[in-house]
Amino acid sequence: MTGFSGPPTGSSSGGTLTGVSRIKGPRWAKMPLVTVGMLGLQIVWSVEMSYASPYLLSLGLSKSFMSVVFVAGPLSGLVVQPLIGVLADQSRSKYGRRRPFIIGGALLCVLAILLLGFTRSFSSIFTPKGSKANDALTIAFAVLSIYCIDFSINAVQAADRALLVDLLPPSQQETGNAWAGRMFGIGSVAGFFVGNIDLPKTFPYLGKTELEVLSVITSICLIVTHAITSTSVTEKVLVRSSNEKKPSMFTIFRDIWVNMRTLPRTIKQICLIQFLCGISHHHCG
């Protein structure tokens, strides 16, 4: 059993939550098990931040167009995280409200990471290698992969954070967030440190270039860490009443907009701080 099981039923998104939320395993392993997915997340972010820009420049993408490409990160965070939060809250999957989005987003992210690492190989399937068409298609695949990575990893991150809140009682939220911070730190160090290793020489069977090998390793880390978390927890399941209608996408976006405008003053201040930190990170980092 976990440190928090809570009452067997409850209400959420107009339905009833049934079952028990719990983290499996011994007490000392509960926090690492529920937060290890954050490690995989941060490895993906670190690899993208350190390798995507020089790779796109090496393909011939102009520096002025780079800003258009990397607006994917802030844009995906603005749109995807609140959207996934609402959709997950209303999910009636028998596996819980968060884990289907975690696994689905992680699988999509893995495909995008592998596309980024092997863009030249993929484009050579459709166009002659070394041709102008091949170069253009390679750039298109690389840009597409970065957008897919950012949007899918933000979906996973939103579900990861919601899962942490769902599983831990208020008295353990601070400890849970501290463990999440540790995992983010470890993932960041690992993602940047791996650049010091000659990966094609160390793992010649994974690819011919540094980025190819790194894309495979990053994909494995993301899947393994989230597989550990997903198999180590059980979630409550949302059961909707028979006469309740599923909300439309218009209703969902309208509710998100209304909630954004009616946030408490303290939350608005926190959002402003995060906004300014994001600007300093992307412009001065």
Side-chain angles (χ1 to χ4, degrees), residues 37-38 40-41 44-45 80-81 84 98-110 149-163 222 225-226 230:
M38 313 288 186
L41 279 176
V44 174
W45 283 122
V80 173
Q81 293 212 23
I84 291 298
R98 316 302 180 188
R99 286 181 294 172
F101 288 92
I102 289 174
I103 297 302
L107 290 175
L108 178 59
C109 188
V110 163
I149 289 171
D150 284 348
F151 275 79
S152 58
I153 204 66
N154 266 292
V156 177
Q157 185 167 309
D160 273 342
R161 289 173 170 172
L163 181 65
L222 183 65
T225 54
H226 283 91
S230 297

PDB file of all heavy atoms in Angstrom, residues 37-38 40-41 44-45 80-81 84 98-110 149-163 222 225-226 230:
ATOM      1  N   GLY A  37       9.676   9.077 -13.569  1.00  0.00           N
ATOM      2  CA  GLY A  37       9.338   9.527 -14.917  1.00  0.00           C
ATOM      3  C   GLY A  37       9.848  10.929 -15.212  1.00  0.00           C
ATOM      4  O   GLY A  37      10.152  11.258 -16.366  1.00  0.00           O
ATOM      5  N   MET A  38       9.961  11.765 -14.169  1.00  0.00           N
ATOM      6  CA  MET A  38      10.487  13.124 -14.349  1.00  0.00           C
ATOM      7  C   MET A  38      11.928  13.090 -14.849  1.00  0.00           C
ATOM      8  O   MET A  38      12.375  13.974 -15.586  1.00  0.00           O
ATOM      9  CB  MET A  38      10.421  13.906 -13.032  1.00  0.00           C
ATOM     10  CG  MET A  38       9.107  13.812 -12.283  1.00  0.00           C
ATOM     11  SD  MET A  38       7.790  14.722 -13.083  1.00  0.00           S
ATOM     12  CE  MET A  38       6.461  14.556 -11.871  1.00  0.00           C
ATOM     13  N   GLY A  40      13.209  10.799 -16.894  1.00  0.00           N
ATOM     14  CA  GLY A  40      13.139  10.577 -18.336  1.00  0.00           C
ATOM     15  C   GLY A  40      12.720  11.812 -19.095  1.00  0.00           C
ATOM     16  O   GLY A  40      13.242  12.108 -20.178  1.00  0.00           O
ATOM     17  N   LEU A  41      11.771  12.570 -18.524  1.00  0.00           N
ATOM     18  CA  LEU A  41      11.326  13.820 -19.141  1.00  0.00           C
ATOM     19  C   LEU A  41      12.480  14.795 -19.327  1.00  0.00           C
ATOM     20  O   LEU A  41      12.678  15.360 -20.409  1.00  0.00           O
ATOM     21  CB  LEU A  41      10.267  14.482 -18.262  1.00  0.00           C
ATOM     22  CG  LEU A  41       8.816  14.015 -18.334  1.00  0.00           C
ATOM     23  CD1 LEU A  41       7.996  14.761 -17.300  1.00  0.00           C
ATOM     24  CD2 LEU A  41       8.238  14.231 -19.721  1.00  0.00           C
ATOM     25  N   VAL A  44      15.005  14.076 -22.036  1.00  0.00           N
ATOM     26  CA  VAL A  44      14.512  14.478 -23.353  1.00  0.00           C
ATOM     27  C   VAL A  44      14.704  15.975 -23.568  1.00  0.00           C
ATOM     28  O   VAL A  44      15.222  16.406 -24.604  1.00  0.00           O
ATOM     29  CB  VAL A  44      13.019  14.111 -23.513  1.00  0.00           C
ATOM     30  CG1 VAL A  44      12.467  14.669 -24.827  1.00  0.00           C
ATOM     31  CG2 VAL A  44      12.834  12.602 -23.467  1.00  0.00           C
ATOM     32  N   TRP A  45      14.290  16.793 -22.580  1.00  0.00           N
ATOM     33  CA  TRP A  45      14.447  18.246 -22.701  1.00  0.00           C
ATOM     34  C   TRP A  45      15.916  18.627 -22.874  1.00  0.00           C
ATOM     35  O   TRP A  45      16.261  19.472 -23.715  1.00  0.00           O
ATOM     36  CB  TRP A  45      13.894  18.950 -21.459  1.00  0.00           C
ATOM     37  CG  TRP A  45      12.405  19.060 -21.388  1.00  0.00           C
ATOM     38  CD1 TRP A  45      11.591  18.585 -20.392  1.00  0.00           C
ATOM     39  CD2 TRP A  45      11.521  19.697 -22.319  1.00  0.00           C
ATOM     40  NE1 TRP A  45      10.280  18.877 -20.664  1.00  0.00           N
ATOM     41  CE2 TRP A  45      10.201  19.571 -21.824  1.00  0.00           C
ATOM     42  CE3 TRP A  45      11.729  20.378 -23.517  1.00  0.00           C
ATOM     43  CZ2 TRP A  45       9.090  20.080 -22.495  1.00  0.00           C
ATOM     44  CZ3 TRP A  45      10.622  20.888 -24.183  1.00  0.00           C
ATOM     45  CH2 TRP A  45       9.326  20.737 -23.671  1.00  0.00           C
ATOM     46  N   VAL A  80      -1.015  22.596 -24.641  1.00  0.00           N
ATOM     47  CA  VAL A  80      -1.154  21.168 -24.357  1.00  0.00           C
ATOM     48  C   VAL A  80      -1.392  20.879 -22.880  1.00  0.00           C
ATOM     49  O   VAL A  80      -2.274  20.079 -22.536  1.00  0.00           O
ATOM     50  CB  VAL A  80       0.087  20.398 -24.855  1.00  0.00           C
ATOM     51  CG1 VAL A  80       0.030  18.936 -24.413  1.00  0.00           C
ATOM     52  CG2 VAL A  80       0.170  20.471 -26.368  1.00  0.00           C
ATOM     53  N   GLN A  81      -0.629  21.503 -21.994  1.00  0.00           N
ATOM     54  CA  GLN A  81      -0.727  21.128 -20.583  1.00  0.00           C
ATOM     55  C   GLN A  81      -2.113  21.366 -19.996  1.00  0.00           C
ATOM     56  O   GLN A  81      -2.672  20.463 -19.356  1.00  0.00           O
ATOM     57  CB  GLN A  81       0.364  21.831 -19.772  1.00  0.00           C
ATOM     58  CG  GLN A  81       1.762  21.342 -20.126  1.00  0.00           C
ATOM     59  CD  GLN A  81       2.715  21.366 -18.940  1.00  0.00           C
ATOM     60  OE1 GLN A  81       2.308  21.341 -17.791  1.00  0.00           O
ATOM     61  NE2 GLN A  81       4.005  21.389 -19.227  1.00  0.00           N
ATOM     62  N   ILE A  84      -4.545  18.764 -21.767  1.00  0.00           N
ATOM     63  CA  ILE A  84      -4.376  17.396 -21.286  1.00  0.00           C
ATOM     64  C   ILE A  84      -4.888  17.270 -19.854  1.00  0.00           C
ATOM     65  O   ILE A  84      -5.479  16.243 -19.483  1.00  0.00           O
ATOM     66  CB  ILE A  84      -2.891  16.980 -21.357  1.00  0.00           C
ATOM     67  CG1 ILE A  84      -2.453  16.850 -22.819  1.00  0.00           C
ATOM     68  CG2 ILE A  84      -2.652  15.659 -20.626  1.00  0.00           C
ATOM     69  CD1 ILE A  84      -3.191  15.787 -23.603  1.00  0.00           C
ATOM     70  N   ARG A  98      -4.666   9.227 -15.567  1.00  0.00           N
ATOM     71  CA  ARG A  98      -3.376   9.807 -15.973  1.00  0.00           C
ATOM     72  C   ARG A  98      -2.525   8.864 -16.820  1.00  0.00           C
ATOM     73  O   ARG A  98      -1.898   9.286 -17.786  1.00  0.00           O
ATOM     74  CB  ARG A  98      -2.581  10.223 -14.729  1.00  0.00           C
ATOM     75  CG  ARG A  98      -3.384  10.946 -13.654  1.00  0.00           C
ATOM     76  CD  ARG A  98      -4.066  12.202 -14.147  1.00  0.00           C
ATOM     77  NE  ARG A  98      -4.823  12.854 -13.073  1.00  0.00           N
ATOM     78  CZ  ARG A  98      -5.630  13.886 -13.246  1.00  0.00           C
ATOM     79  NH1 ARG A  98      -5.808  14.401 -14.441  1.00  0.00           N
ATOM     80  NH2 ARG A  98      -6.287  14.422 -12.217  1.00  0.00           N
ATOM     81  N   ARG A  99      -2.472   7.602 -16.454  1.00  0.00           N
ATOM     82  CA  ARG A  99      -1.537   6.680 -17.110  1.00  0.00           C
ATOM     83  C   ARG A  99      -1.767   6.504 -18.611  1.00  0.00           C
ATOM     84  O   ARG A  99      -0.782   6.392 -19.361  1.00  0.00           O
ATOM     85  CB  ARG A  99      -1.538   5.332 -16.392  1.00  0.00           C
ATOM     86  CG  ARG A  99      -0.813   5.375 -15.046  1.00  0.00           C
ATOM     87  CD  ARG A  99      -0.815   4.026 -14.363  1.00  0.00           C
ATOM     88  NE  ARG A  99      -2.162   3.626 -13.976  1.00  0.00           N
ATOM     89  CZ  ARG A  99      -2.466   2.435 -13.498  1.00  0.00           C
ATOM     90  NH1 ARG A  99      -1.522   1.518 -13.361  1.00  0.00           N
ATOM     91  NH2 ARG A  99      -3.709   2.150 -13.143  1.00  0.00           N
ATOM     92  N   PRO A 100      -3.002   6.473 -19.105  1.00  0.00           N
ATOM     93  CA  PRO A 100      -3.156   6.385 -20.567  1.00  0.00           C
ATOM     94  C   PRO A 100      -2.508   7.543 -21.312  1.00  0.00           C
ATOM     95  O   PRO A 100      -1.919   7.356 -22.384  1.00  0.00           O
ATOM     96  CB  PRO A 100      -4.685   6.381 -20.748  1.00  0.00           C
ATOM     97  CG  PRO A 100      -5.215   5.804 -19.480  1.00  0.00           C
ATOM     98  CD  PRO A 100      -4.302   6.338 -18.414  1.00  0.00           C
ATOM     99  N   PHE A 101      -2.575   8.746 -20.749  1.00  0.00           N
ATOM    100  CA  PHE A 101      -1.956   9.910 -21.386  1.00  0.00           C
ATOM    101  C   PHE A 101      -0.433   9.852 -21.247  1.00  0.00           C
ATOM    102  O   PHE A 101       0.298  10.288 -22.145  1.00  0.00           O
ATOM    103  CB  PHE A 101      -2.500  11.193 -20.767  1.00  0.00           C
ATOM    104  CG  PHE A 101      -3.919  11.479 -21.157  1.00  0.00           C
ATOM    105  CD1 PHE A 101      -4.971  11.033 -20.367  1.00  0.00           C
ATOM    106  CD2 PHE A 101      -4.208  12.172 -22.320  1.00  0.00           C
ATOM    107  CE1 PHE A 101      -6.287  11.283 -20.728  1.00  0.00           C
ATOM    108  CE2 PHE A 101      -5.522  12.429 -22.687  1.00  0.00           C
ATOM    109  CZ  PHE A 101      -6.567  11.977 -21.889  1.00  0.00           C
ATOM    110  N   ILE A 102       0.038   9.308 -20.116  1.00  0.00           N
ATOM    111  CA  ILE A 102       1.479   9.171 -19.917  1.00  0.00           C
ATOM    112  C   ILE A 102       2.072   8.220 -20.949  1.00  0.00           C
ATOM    113  O   ILE A 102       3.062   8.542 -21.628  1.00  0.00           O
ATOM    114  CB  ILE A 102       1.781   8.680 -18.490  1.00  0.00           C
ATOM    115  CG1 ILE A 102       1.488   9.789 -17.474  1.00  0.00           C
ATOM    116  CG2 ILE A 102       3.230   8.217 -18.361  1.00  0.00           C
ATOM    117  CD1 ILE A 102       1.616   9.346 -16.026  1.00  0.00           C
ATOM    118  N   ILE A 103       1.471   7.041 -21.074  1.00  0.00           N
ATOM    119  CA  ILE A 103       2.000   6.043 -21.993  1.00  0.00           C
ATOM    120  C   ILE A 103       1.816   6.473 -23.449  1.00  0.00           C
ATOM    121  O   ILE A 103       2.737   6.357 -24.278  1.00  0.00           O
ATOM    122  CB  ILE A 103       1.335   4.674 -21.748  1.00  0.00           C
ATOM    123  CG1 ILE A 103       1.657   4.170 -20.341  1.00  0.00           C
ATOM    124  CG2 ILE A 103       1.797   3.658 -22.792  1.00  0.00           C
ATOM    125  CD1 ILE A 103       3.133   4.032 -20.059  1.00  0.00           C
ATOM    126  N   GLY A 104       0.630   6.975 -23.773  1.00  0.00           N
ATOM    127  CA  GLY A 104       0.387   7.424 -25.146  1.00  0.00           C
ATOM    128  C   GLY A 104       1.309   8.554 -25.554  1.00  0.00           C
ATOM    129  O   GLY A 104       1.886   8.545 -26.647  1.00  0.00           O
ATOM    130  N   GLY A 105       1.482   9.539 -24.674  1.00  0.00           N
ATOM    131  CA  GLY A 105       2.385  10.648 -24.971  1.00  0.00           C
ATOM    132  C   GLY A 105       3.833  10.213 -25.070  1.00  0.00           C
ATOM    133  O   GLY A 105       4.576  10.696 -25.923  1.00  0.00           O
ATOM    134  N   ALA A 106       4.237   9.286 -24.204  1.00  0.00           N
ATOM    135  CA  ALA A 106       5.620   8.795 -24.229  1.00  0.00           C
ATOM    136  C   ALA A 106       5.909   8.046 -25.528  1.00  0.00           C
ATOM    137  O   ALA A 106       6.990   8.202 -26.121  1.00  0.00           O
ATOM    138  CB  ALA A 106       5.880   7.903 -23.025  1.00  0.00           C
ATOM    139  N   LEU A 107       4.969   7.240 -25.992  1.00  0.00           N
ATOM    140  CA  LEU A 107       5.173   6.493 -27.246  1.00  0.00           C
ATOM    141  C   LEU A 107       5.269   7.448 -28.435  1.00  0.00           C
ATOM    142  O   LEU A 107       6.124   7.269 -29.312  1.00  0.00           O
ATOM    143  CB  LEU A 107       4.030   5.498 -27.458  1.00  0.00           C
ATOM    144  CG  LEU A 107       4.006   4.302 -26.504  1.00  0.00           C
ATOM    145  CD1 LEU A 107       2.754   3.457 -26.741  1.00  0.00           C
ATOM    146  CD2 LEU A 107       5.258   3.445 -26.662  1.00  0.00           C
ATOM    147  N   LEU A 108       4.405   8.453 -28.467  1.00  0.00           N
ATOM    148  CA  LEU A 108       4.470   9.444 -29.548  1.00  0.00           C
ATOM    149  C   LEU A 108       5.786  10.205 -29.496  1.00  0.00           C
ATOM    150  O   LEU A 108       6.407  10.477 -30.538  1.00  0.00           O
ATOM    151  CB  LEU A 108       3.295  10.411 -29.426  1.00  0.00           C
ATOM    152  CG  LEU A 108       3.249  11.546 -30.465  1.00  0.00           C
ATOM    153  CD1 LEU A 108       3.185  10.976 -31.874  1.00  0.00           C
ATOM    154  CD2 LEU A 108       2.035  12.454 -30.213  1.00  0.00           C
ATOM    155  N   CYS A 109       6.237  10.537 -28.286  1.00  0.00           N
ATOM    156  CA  CYS A 109       7.497  11.256 -28.130  1.00  0.00           C
ATOM    157  C   CYS A 109       8.674  10.410 -28.604  1.00  0.00           C
ATOM    158  O   CYS A 109       9.600  10.915 -29.236  1.00  0.00           O
ATOM    159  CB  CYS A 109       7.682  11.658 -26.670  1.00  0.00           C
ATOM    160  SG  CYS A 109       9.089  12.747 -26.389  1.00  0.00           S
ATOM    161  N   VAL A 110       8.642   9.108 -28.314  1.00  0.00           N
ATOM    162  CA  VAL A 110       9.712   8.211 -28.757  1.00  0.00           C
ATOM    163  C   VAL A 110       9.798   8.192 -30.280  1.00  0.00           C
ATOM    164  O   VAL A 110      10.897   8.255 -30.864  1.00  0.00           O
ATOM    165  CB  VAL A 110       9.482   6.790 -28.205  1.00  0.00           C
ATOM    166  CG1 VAL A 110      10.316   5.772 -28.965  1.00  0.00           C
ATOM    167  CG2 VAL A 110       9.828   6.747 -26.724  1.00  0.00           C
ATOM    168  N   ILE A 149       7.947  16.351 -30.558  1.00  0.00           N
ATOM    169  CA  ILE A 149       8.591  16.115 -29.266  1.00  0.00           C
ATOM    170  C   ILE A 149       8.038  17.075 -28.217  1.00  0.00           C
ATOM    171  O   ILE A 149       7.654  16.669 -27.113  1.00  0.00           O
ATOM    172  CB  ILE A 149      10.123  16.268 -29.375  1.00  0.00           C
ATOM    173  CG1 ILE A 149      10.729  15.110 -30.164  1.00  0.00           C
ATOM    174  CG2 ILE A 149      10.768  16.332 -27.981  1.00  0.00           C
ATOM    175  CD1 ILE A 149      12.204  15.297 -30.496  1.00  0.00           C
ATOM    176  N   ASP A 150       7.993  18.358 -28.553  1.00  0.00           N
ATOM    177  CA  ASP A 150       7.553  19.361 -27.573  1.00  0.00           C
ATOM    178  C   ASP A 150       6.097  19.165 -27.173  1.00  0.00           C
ATOM    179  O   ASP A 150       5.746  19.256 -25.987  1.00  0.00           O
ATOM    180  CB  ASP A 150       7.768  20.764 -28.130  1.00  0.00           C
ATOM    181  CG  ASP A 150       9.230  21.183 -28.100  1.00  0.00           C
ATOM    182  OD1 ASP A 150      10.016  20.482 -27.449  1.00  0.00           O
ATOM    183  OD2 ASP A 150       9.585  22.204 -28.711  1.00  0.00           O
ATOM    184  N   PHE A 151       5.234  18.895 -28.140  1.00  0.00           N
ATOM    185  CA  PHE A 151       3.820  18.736 -27.814  1.00  0.00           C
ATOM    186  C   PHE A 151       3.567  17.451 -27.036  1.00  0.00           C
ATOM    187  O   PHE A 151       2.794  17.439 -26.076  1.00  0.00           O
ATOM    188  CB  PHE A 151       2.978  18.761 -29.091  1.00  0.00           C
ATOM    189  CG  PHE A 151       2.627  20.148 -29.550  1.00  0.00           C
ATOM    190  CD1 PHE A 151       3.558  20.925 -30.242  1.00  0.00           C
ATOM    191  CD2 PHE A 151       1.388  20.687 -29.279  1.00  0.00           C
ATOM    192  CE1 PHE A 151       3.245  22.208 -30.655  1.00  0.00           C
ATOM    193  CE2 PHE A 151       1.054  21.973 -29.684  1.00  0.00           C
ATOM    194  CZ  PHE A 151       1.988  22.737 -30.380  1.00  0.00           C
ATOM    195  N   SER A 152       4.221  16.358 -27.422  1.00  0.00           N
ATOM    196  CA  SER A 152       3.988  15.085 -26.730  1.00  0.00           C
ATOM    197  C   SER A 152       4.626  15.076 -25.346  1.00  0.00           C
ATOM    198  O   SER A 152       4.033  14.567 -24.386  1.00  0.00           O
ATOM    199  CB  SER A 152       4.535  13.922 -27.565  1.00  0.00           C
ATOM    200  OG  SER A 152       5.923  14.066 -27.827  1.00  0.00           O
ATOM    201  N   ILE A 153       5.812  15.664 -25.194  1.00  0.00           N
ATOM    202  CA  ILE A 153       6.470  15.639 -23.891  1.00  0.00           C
ATOM    203  C   ILE A 153       5.743  16.553 -22.904  1.00  0.00           C
ATOM    204  O   ILE A 153       5.717  16.290 -21.698  1.00  0.00           O
ATOM    205  CB  ILE A 153       7.963  16.039 -24.009  1.00  0.00           C
ATOM    206  CG1 ILE A 153       8.772  15.457 -22.844  1.00  0.00           C
ATOM    207  CG2 ILE A 153       8.137  17.539 -24.070  1.00  0.00           C
ATOM    208  CD1 ILE A 153       8.854  13.969 -22.833  1.00  0.00           C
ATOM    209  N   ASN A 154       5.110  17.616 -23.396  1.00  0.00           N
ATOM    210  CA  ASN A 154       4.299  18.455 -22.516  1.00  0.00           C
ATOM    211  C   ASN A 154       3.053  17.712 -22.045  1.00  0.00           C
ATOM    212  O   ASN A 154       2.595  17.905 -20.914  1.00  0.00           O
ATOM    213  CB  ASN A 154       3.905  19.757 -23.223  1.00  0.00           C
ATOM    214  CG  ASN A 154       4.865  20.887 -22.915  1.00  0.00           C
ATOM    215  OD1 ASN A 154       4.935  21.359 -21.793  1.00  0.00           O
ATOM    216  ND2 ASN A 154       5.620  21.314 -23.911  1.00  0.00           N
ATOM    217  N   ALA A 155       2.501  16.867 -22.908  1.00  0.00           N
ATOM    218  CA  ALA A 155       1.357  16.049 -22.497  1.00  0.00           C
ATOM    219  C   ALA A 155       1.762  15.078 -21.392  1.00  0.00           C
ATOM    220  O   ALA A 155       1.054  14.908 -20.396  1.00  0.00           O
ATOM    221  CB  ALA A 155       0.809  15.288 -23.703  1.00  0.00           C
ATOM    222  N   VAL A 156       2.920  14.450 -21.564  1.00  0.00           N
ATOM    223  CA  VAL A 156       3.421  13.512 -20.553  1.00  0.00           C
ATOM    224  C   VAL A 156       3.703  14.247 -19.245  1.00  0.00           C
ATOM    225  O   VAL A 156       3.373  13.770 -18.153  1.00  0.00           O
ATOM    226  CB  VAL A 156       4.696  12.798 -21.054  1.00  0.00           C
ATOM    227  CG1 VAL A 156       5.248  11.878 -19.981  1.00  0.00           C
ATOM    228  CG2 VAL A 156       4.401  12.006 -22.317  1.00  0.00           C
ATOM    229  N   GLN A 157       4.313  15.410 -19.357  1.00  0.00           N
ATOM    230  CA  GLN A 157       4.660  16.180 -18.161  1.00  0.00           C
ATOM    231  C   GLN A 157       3.412  16.601 -17.384  1.00  0.00           C
ATOM    232  O   GLN A 157       3.387  16.537 -16.145  1.00  0.00           O
ATOM    233  CB  GLN A 157       5.463  17.416 -18.570  1.00  0.00           C
ATOM    234  CG  GLN A 157       5.982  18.226 -17.398  1.00  0.00           C
ATOM    235  CD  GLN A 157       7.027  19.244 -17.834  1.00  0.00           C
ATOM    236  OE1 GLN A 157       7.975  18.920 -18.519  1.00  0.00           O
ATOM    237  NE2 GLN A 157       6.838  20.489 -17.443  1.00  0.00           N
ATOM    238  N   ALA A 158       2.367  17.022 -18.090  1.00  0.00           N
ATOM    239  CA  ALA A 158       1.121  17.405 -17.430  1.00  0.00           C
ATOM    240  C   ALA A 158       0.518  16.217 -16.686  1.00  0.00           C
ATOM    241  O   ALA A 158       0.062  16.355 -15.537  1.00  0.00           O
ATOM    242  CB  ALA A 158       0.130  17.940 -18.462  1.00  0.00           C
ATOM    243  N   ALA A 159       0.510  15.046 -17.329  1.00  0.00           N
ATOM    244  CA  ALA A 159      -0.048  13.857 -16.696  1.00  0.00           C
ATOM    245  C   ALA A 159       0.819  13.378 -15.532  1.00  0.00           C
ATOM    246  O   ALA A 159       0.306  12.911 -14.508  1.00  0.00           O
ATOM    247  CB  ALA A 159      -0.211  12.744 -17.732  1.00  0.00           C
ATOM    248  N   ASP A 160       2.135  13.488 -15.664  1.00  0.00           N
ATOM    249  CA  ASP A 160       3.048  13.113 -14.578  1.00  0.00           C
ATOM    250  C   ASP A 160       2.774  13.935 -13.321  1.00  0.00           C
ATOM    251  O   ASP A 160       2.700  13.400 -12.212  1.00  0.00           O
ATOM    252  CB  ASP A 160       4.503  13.331 -15.011  1.00  0.00           C
ATOM    253  CG  ASP A 160       5.082  12.123 -15.735  1.00  0.00           C
ATOM    254  OD1 ASP A 160       4.505  11.026 -15.609  1.00  0.00           O
ATOM    255  OD2 ASP A 160       6.112  12.274 -16.412  1.00  0.00           O
ATOM    256  N   ARG A 161       2.652  15.242 -13.499  1.00  0.00           N
ATOM    257  CA  ARG A 161       2.427  16.123 -12.357  1.00  0.00           C
ATOM    258  C   ARG A 161       1.059  15.873 -11.722  1.00  0.00           C
ATOM    259  O   ARG A 161       0.921  15.888 -10.493  1.00  0.00           O
ATOM    260  CB  ARG A 161       2.547  17.583 -12.805  1.00  0.00           C
ATOM    261  CG  ARG A 161       3.976  17.991 -13.135  1.00  0.00           C
ATOM    262  CD  ARG A 161       4.034  19.377 -13.721  1.00  0.00           C
ATOM    263  NE  ARG A 161       5.412  19.878 -13.826  1.00  0.00           N
ATOM    264  CZ  ARG A 161       5.758  20.992 -14.435  1.00  0.00           C
ATOM    265  NH1 ARG A 161       4.820  21.747 -14.998  1.00  0.00           N
ATOM    266  NH2 ARG A 161       7.017  21.377 -14.495  1.00  0.00           N
ATOM    267  N   ALA A 162       0.057  15.647 -12.571  1.00  0.00           N
ATOM    268  CA  ALA A 162      -1.278  15.370 -12.038  1.00  0.00           C
ATOM    269  C   ALA A 162      -1.301  14.049 -11.280  1.00  0.00           C
ATOM    270  O   ALA A 162      -1.973  13.927 -10.251  1.00  0.00           O
ATOM    271  CB  ALA A 162      -2.294  15.336 -13.184  1.00  0.00           C
ATOM    272  N   LEU A 163      -0.562  13.069 -11.779  1.00  0.00           N
ATOM    273  CA  LEU A 163      -0.498  11.773 -11.101  1.00  0.00           C
ATOM    274  C   LEU A 163       0.119  11.921  -9.717  1.00  0.00           C
ATOM    275  O   LEU A 163      -0.345  11.305  -8.742  1.00  0.00           O
ATOM    276  CB  LEU A 163       0.325  10.786 -11.938  1.00  0.00           C
ATOM    277  CG  LEU A 163       0.471   9.364 -11.371  1.00  0.00           C
ATOM    278  CD1 LEU A 163      -0.879   8.664 -11.331  1.00  0.00           C
ATOM    279  CD2 LEU A 163       1.466   8.559 -12.199  1.00  0.00           C
ATOM    280  N   LEU A 222      13.144   7.266 -21.633  1.00  0.00           N
ATOM    281  CA  LEU A 222      11.794   7.797 -21.460  1.00  0.00           C
ATOM    282  C   LEU A 222      10.784   6.679 -21.244  1.00  0.00           C
ATOM    283  O   LEU A 222       9.937   6.745 -20.351  1.00  0.00           O
ATOM    284  CB  LEU A 222      11.406   8.628 -22.682  1.00  0.00           C
ATOM    285  CG  LEU A 222      10.039   9.313 -22.618  1.00  0.00           C
ATOM    286  CD1 LEU A 222       9.997  10.368 -21.525  1.00  0.00           C
ATOM    287  CD2 LEU A 222       9.694   9.947 -23.971  1.00  0.00           C
ATOM    288  N   THR A 225      11.544   4.651 -17.736  1.00  0.00           N
ATOM    289  CA  THR A 225      11.187   5.391 -16.514  1.00  0.00           C
ATOM    290  C   THR A 225       9.677   5.493 -16.346  1.00  0.00           C
ATOM    291  O   THR A 225       9.150   5.353 -15.232  1.00  0.00           O
ATOM    292  CB  THR A 225      11.811   6.790 -16.518  1.00  0.00           C
ATOM    293  OG1 THR A 225      11.438   7.481 -17.729  1.00  0.00           O
ATOM    294  CG2 THR A 225      13.324   6.718 -16.420  1.00  0.00           C
ATOM    295  N   HIS A 226       8.960   5.702 -17.438  1.00  0.00           N
ATOM    296  CA  HIS A 226       7.507   5.817 -17.323  1.00  0.00           C
ATOM    297  C   HIS A 226       6.830   4.459 -17.202  1.00  0.00           C
ATOM    298  O   HIS A 226       5.726   4.364 -16.631  1.00  0.00           O
ATOM    299  CB  HIS A 226       6.941   6.625 -18.493  1.00  0.00           C
ATOM    300  CG  HIS A 226       7.167   8.096 -18.341  1.00  0.00           C
ATOM    301  ND1 HIS A 226       8.276   8.733 -18.847  1.00  0.00           N
ATOM    302  CD2 HIS A 226       6.454   9.051 -17.682  1.00  0.00           C
ATOM    303  CE1 HIS A 226       8.223  10.018 -18.529  1.00  0.00           C
ATOM    304  NE2 HIS A 226       7.129  10.232 -17.828  1.00  0.00           N
ATOM    305  N   SER A 230       4.283   3.731 -14.219  1.00  0.00           N
ATOM    306  CA  SER A 230       2.935   3.272 -14.565  1.00  0.00           C
ATOM    307  C   SER A 230       2.604   1.913 -13.966  1.00  0.00           C
ATOM    308  O   SER A 230       1.446   1.654 -13.616  1.00  0.00           O
ATOM    309  CB  SER A 230       2.784   3.214 -16.093  1.00  0.00           C
ATOM    310  OG  SER A 230       2.917   4.498 -16.659  1.00  0.00           O
TER     311      SER A 230
END
